[in-house]
Amino acid sequence: MKYISTRGQAPELTFEDAMLTGLARDGGLYVPAEIPQMSQDEIAALAGLSYEETAFRVMRPFIGDCFTDEEFRAIIARAYAGFGHAARAPLKQLAPNHFLLELFHGPTLAFKDFAMQLIGQLFQSALERRGDRVTIAGATSGDTGSAAMEAFRGLSNVDVFILYPHGRVSEVQRRQMTTPQDANVHALAVDGDFDDCQARVKDMFNDFDFRDGVKLAGVNSINIARVLAQVVYYFSAAVSLGAPQRKVSFTVPTGNFGDIFAGFIAKQMGLPIDQLVVATNQNDILHRCLSGQGYHKGDTQPSISPSMDIQVSSNFERALFYAYGKDAKAIAQLMDELKTGGFDVSQGAMQALSETYASGRTSEEETLATIKSELAASGELLCPHGAVGVKVANEHRKADVPMITLATAHPAKFPAAVEDASGIHPPLPPRMSDLYERSERVTRIANDLAALENHIRKNIAH
Ligand SMILES: *Cc1c(COP(=O)(O)O)cnc(C)c1O
């Protein structure tokens, strides 16, 4: 199995090298050269299997010979052992033919744990075999940083440094980053905003002396291994509801398009998906684009579903690559146009996108109203991201096709908005109810490249 870049100018890589590289050298994103197929019988045989065995069977063809079956099974087992629910991704019924896929039972209470926990173990196994080590640097506005620290903490061949804007993340998010005690994970509270954090990480990657000296690596949402790990729960959920004999639909609260793109891959592999619905908040560039208005940047408006507050949706490039019939030249040109504000999508590609994706947007008021109405209707307390999904799902679902809405975070991760909408302060799950008592470890640091690089050089294990 080979991986190719959406811009066509980077070398083809194996799964392992594509994972360790992250971004392709031509600025593109890696995708599988061919998407493997699962037969109807192979899909039917997933019924009743554990999440781990489902993950093994769905992901195995993407891995090639980078890991043996035995290694890969052990990696998956370690990745999901820390989840707080035996089903890992349980389904709950909200209404006739409407289901919620709870993706928040991992260690940091958001769906990013599904991919991050797995790539933590994949990185460690690959690096151990190569006798190599890396330094992971990342910027976070909240969820990604803690998921990365939880996934890599205690692993001997990796150091992790997460930059977050001092004073601008929620208390739960901060504590999830500052309370892991393992020596190889480091929270850095930067005097600046999220854009500063992101810019400094980018500067580090562009400082080749530093980059090569500390063997810098990235695990942001464009990493193809993260996308592929998310394909698994589309299969487990659909099969629970009768696939492949019965079609199902999904609605996905969307920001960087990594999660819903995993749904596209599941469909290409043979899973009978009827609708794939993109749900956005008021930052609706994707909804506007999928409604035929082109892909044009606006200003980001902070919202109560902050993990979806995006300007440019990085994984959308992968969706465009397939909509343009894998024409890497066309994609490189669109991405050039994006630098100066945006582009229009060709008629043929628009046709392909609308055959695959539907979309909807949710205002702040509608998000709050949905949290309240869903609590009254089904007793479920949604997080604001899940509420964006439920509102859009209700606009698209059909009586005869089960709709599965992805609940991407636990309500306790966004207590202020949830309490505002419902009057209920959502409690943390018992396994982390002592989060507010754990001691914090964090370095406050200037928004300055030299200061950050010095700190990292001094604190990595050699
Ligand atoms: C990251 C995130 C999203 C958006 O997912 P993408 O893959 O970026 O589209 C939605 N909800 C929550 C809670 C998240 O953390």
Side-chain angles (χ1 to χ4, degrees):
M1 168 67 70
K2 286 287 181 190
Y3 288 78
I4 56 171
S5 164
T6 50
R7 301 191 195 174
Q9 300 294 313
E12 288 188 6
L13 297 180
T14 63
F15 170 80
E16 185 171 311
D17 287 325
M19 170 181 81
L20 293 171
T21 302
L23 193 70
R25 282 191 178 272
D26 58 4
L29 310 187
Y30 277 105
V31 291
E34 300 293 339
I35 295 179
Q37 301 295 304
M38 277 182 84
S39 69
Q40 299 290 294
D41 286 349
E42 286 170 320
I43 297 171
L46 300 174
L49 297 181
S50 66
Y51 186 85
E52 283 81 346
E53 181 61 22
T54 305
F56 177 80
R57 296 193 190 184
V58 171
M59 289 190 72
R60 188 73 194 86
F62 291 100
I63 306 293
D65 50 15
C66 293
F67 298 91
T68 66
D69 285 0
E70 199 185 351
E71 278 173 328
F72 190 43
R73 278 210 163 86
I75 284 168
I76 294 170
R78 287 196 296 275
Y80 298 113
F83 277 52
H85 196 296
R88 312 307 182 215
L91 275 173
K92 244 188 199 166
Q93 189 158 14
L94 294 178
N97 255 348
H98 190 190
F99 299 84
L100 197 65
L101 181 59
E102 293 187 346
L103 299 176
F104 50 68
H105 295 283
T108 70
L109 307 180
F111 87 94
K112 293 193 172 64
D113 289 327
F114 276 90
M116 208 63 99
Q117 287 289 325
L118 189 75
I119 74 166
Q121 298 299 330
L122 288 167
F123 261 67
Q124 175 64 22
S125 289
L127 292 168
E128 211 164 51
R129 172 165 20 86
R130 294 170 171 215
D132 208 352
R133 54 179 306 117
V134 295
T135 302
I136 288 170
T140 188
S141 56
D143 293 338
T144 307
S146 57
M149 292 173 78
E150 273 297 330
F152 287 90
R153 72 189 176 88
L155 300 181
S156 54
N157 294 49
V158 186
D159 291 289
V160 179
F161 295 83
I162 297 296
L163 284 62
Y164 71 85
H166 177 69
R168 300 188 202 209
V169 299
S170 81
E171 183 170 4
V172 174
Q173 289 175 323
R174 187 193 76 232
R175 286 183 172 273
Q176 285 185 330
M177 290 187 277
T178 58
T179 57
Q181 294 301 316
D182 309 76
N184 72 322
V185 293
H186 309 266
L188 303 176
V190 176
D191 284 312
D193 61 18
F194 173 60
D195 291 329
D196 293 322
C197 296
Q198 223 169 6
R200 294 300 80 73
V201 170
K202 216 170 173 186
D203 292 345
M204 288 180 210
F205 275 92
N206 287 328
D207 178 349
F208 293 119
D209 270 354
F210 177 75
R211 177 178 176 164
D212 297 340
V214 303
K215 297 189 173 156
L216 211 55
V219 292
N220 57 13
S221 76
I222 55 97
N223 196 303
I224 187 64
R226 278 184 62 183
V227 174
L228 297 177
Q230 292 161 359
V231 174
V232 176
Y233 47 71
Y234 287 88
F235 277 90
S236 68
V239 169
S240 305
L241 295 178
Q245 288 80 15
R246 195 177 179 210
K247 282 189 166 200
V248 298
S249 293
F250 290 90
T251 299
V252 186
T254 297
N256 264 326
F257 215 84
D259 204 359
I260 190 147
F261 186 73
F264 167 80
I265 293 188
K267 188 171 179 175
Q268 296 300 112
M269 289 174 77
L271 190 67
I273 296 179
D274 184 28
Q275 303 183 86
L276 260 182
V277 186
V278 173
T280 76
N281 64 22
Q282 59 191 354
N283 296 293
D284 61 354
I285 182 168
L286 289 165
H287 174 54
R288 282 185 280 119
C289 180
L290 293 169
S291 313
Q293 299 171 48
Y295 194 75
H296 300 280
K297 293 192 246 182
D299 287 327
T300 307
Q301 305 286 334
S303 81
I304 55 172
S305 46
S307 306
M308 295 153 63
D309 291 347
I310 52 108
Q311 180 70 256
V312 170
S313 189
S314 41
N315 280 291
F316 194 52
E317 178 169 342
R318 290 189 164 112
L320 290 167
F321 179 70
Y322 287 94
Y324 277 83
K326 297 188 170 184
D327 181 351
K329 254 202 179 120
I331 299 305
Q333 195 177 332
L334 293 180
M335 293 303 136
D336 249 6
E337 290 177 41
L338 185 59
K339 287 181 194 146
T340 54
F343 53 80
D344 290 320
V345 178
S346 75
Q347 214 174 350
M350 205 53 235
Q351 175 74 27
L353 285 174
S354 56
E355 277 165 18
T356 309
Y357 306 101
S359 70
R361 103 191 273 276
T362 308
S363 71
E364 296 289 271
E365 298 72 39
E366 289 167 331
T367 305
L368 291 167
T370 303
I371 293 174
K372 192 173 174 179
S373 60
E374 194 55 53
L375 182 65
S378 68
E380 276 313 302
L381 193 56
L382 299 169
C383 107
H385 306 77
V388 166
V390 165
K391 186 262 180 186
V392 173
N394 281 333
E395 292 166 353
H396 284 83
R397 63 196 177 92
K398 307 171 184 170
D400 58 342
V401 182
M403 173 63 84
I404 301 166
T405 298
L406 274 52
T408 49
H410 191 285
K413 213 160 178 184
F414 301 93
V418 171
E419 188 165 3
D420 195 21
S422 66
I424 295 174
H425 187 84
L428 286 165
R431 69 201 150 90
M432 51 186 76
S433 58
D434 66 338
L435 184 67
Y436 289 90
E437 280 100 66
R438 296 181 198 166
S439 66
E440 296 190 71
R441 188 170 59 95
V442 58
T443 303
R444 178 125 175 228
I445 193 159
N447 173 25
D448 176 75
L449 183 63
L452 284 159
E453 291 185 347
N454 282 336
H455 181 84
I456 291 173
R457 276 203 189 90
K458 266 207 318 251
N459 284 281
I460 52 177
H462 288 280

